[in-house]
Structure formats: C-alpha cells, structure tokens
C-alpha cells in the first residue's frame, strides 16, 4: 500500500537517513526540526517498519531503535544481520554481517534480533 507523503513523515525519515546509527524515538524527536508529539513519531516509525523502509532493533533492556539499513540488499532480509550496541555512547549500529543459522524441520523464522554489546570504534 502506498501511503501519502507528509512534511512530518519526510522530516522523520530524513533524520533517520542522515544518521549513521539506529535511533530511538527520543533521539528522533530531538533531531526533528518541527513540532511533533511522541505518539505521532511512534506511529510514523511503526508504519515505516510495516512498509519495509526501516527496521526495528530491540535492545536487551527492551528499548526500541529504528534504522534505515544501507547494507540490506533485500527488504525481506532487513532483520537478518547483526547490530552492535556500544556501552559507552549507547548507540546501536547495523553491521554488514549476515546471520546464518539452521533450524529443525518445521520451524519458520520471521524475525531475527542479534545484538553484540561492547565498545565501538569511536569510543575505544
């Protein structure tokens, strides 16, 4: 389904496109240069995920981050890669490493959430 473009959606998407790392709703809200309430940003982020524009990363503490993944070649595989969470600067970034796994017959994977935690290159 093609959704109509609005200045609010464009502003949120531009913030995420210009970020090299995944962003939380709070971080997006701080960077957007127009007045948007929290619920509207969540609604936009969730729709972008549904439409395959963004993917959602859920950290160990349950906090959600959103990213436009430049390294993903197929939208269906957008969640099948690793992420790195820095414990110093609290950022999460997509890593260009595919997740490969095998399961017993009968299982069907719909989503993968792999987060490596440590110190990023910028903080090391």
């Amino acid at each position: 389904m093609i959704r109509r473009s609005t200045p609010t959606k464009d502003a949120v998407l531009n913030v995420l496109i210009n970020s090299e790392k995944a962003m939380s709703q709070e971080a997006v809200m701080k960077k957007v240069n127009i007045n948007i309430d929290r619920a509207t940003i969540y609604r936009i982020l969730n729709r972008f995920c549904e439409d395959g524009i963004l993917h959602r990363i859920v950290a160990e503490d349950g906090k959600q981050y959103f990213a436009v993944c430049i390294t993903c070649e197929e939208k269906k595989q957008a969640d099948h890669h690793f992420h790195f969470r820095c414990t110093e600067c609290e950022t999460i970034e997509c890593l260009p490493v595919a997740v490969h796994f095998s399961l017993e017959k009968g299982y069907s994977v719909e989503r993968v959430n792999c987060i490596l935690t440590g110190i990023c290159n910028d903080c090391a």
Side-chain angles (χ1 to χ4, degrees):
M1 176 167 126
I2 298 177
R3 301 183 198 268
R4 67 183 176 94
S5 180
T6 66
T8 305
K9 288 179 189 176
D10 292 343
V12 169
L13 187 57
N14 284 332
V15 165
L16 286 156
I17 287 172
N18 292 318
S19 174
E20 293 181 9
K21 306 201 180 203
M23 298 179 74
S24 65
Q25 176 271 335
E26 295 88 2
V28 172
M29 195 168 198
K30 288 178 186 175
K31 292 269 187 180
V32 170
N33 56 4
I34 58 177
N35 189 16
I36 309 172
D37 65 80
R38 184 176 164 203
T40 301
I41 289 181
Y42 266 123
R43 207 169 23 256
I44 290 169
L45 293 170
N46 286 324
R47 283 192 186 131
F48 284 158
C49 288
E50 290 170 10
D51 294 345
I53 297 168
L54 302 178
H55 65 277
R56 178 187 336 266
I57 303 139
V58 181
E60 309 91 49
D61 62 0
K63 189 170 184 176
Q64 296 180 40
Y65 295 83
F66 301 87
V68 176
C69 186
I70 307 304
T71 62
C72 300
E73 293 180 19
E74 294 181 35
K75 293 199 187 266
K76 287 183 181 178
Q77 299 299 316
D79 291 334
H80 293 89
H81 61 271
F82 286 97
H83 299 94
F84 189 88
R85 181 177 162 282
C86 179
T87 55
E88 292 291 316
C89 64
E90 295 295 321
T91 60
I92 292 184
E93 60 187 294
C94 297
L95 298 175
V97 179
V99 177
H100 298 284
F101 49 86
S102 62
L103 296 171
E104 293 181 28
K105 188 175 181 176
Y107 288 93
S108 175
V109 176
E110 294 178 1
R111 188 167 193 281
V112 174
N113 190 25
C114 297
I115 299 178
L116 305 172
T117 303
I119 310 286
C120 71
N121 285 337
D122 294 338
C123 294

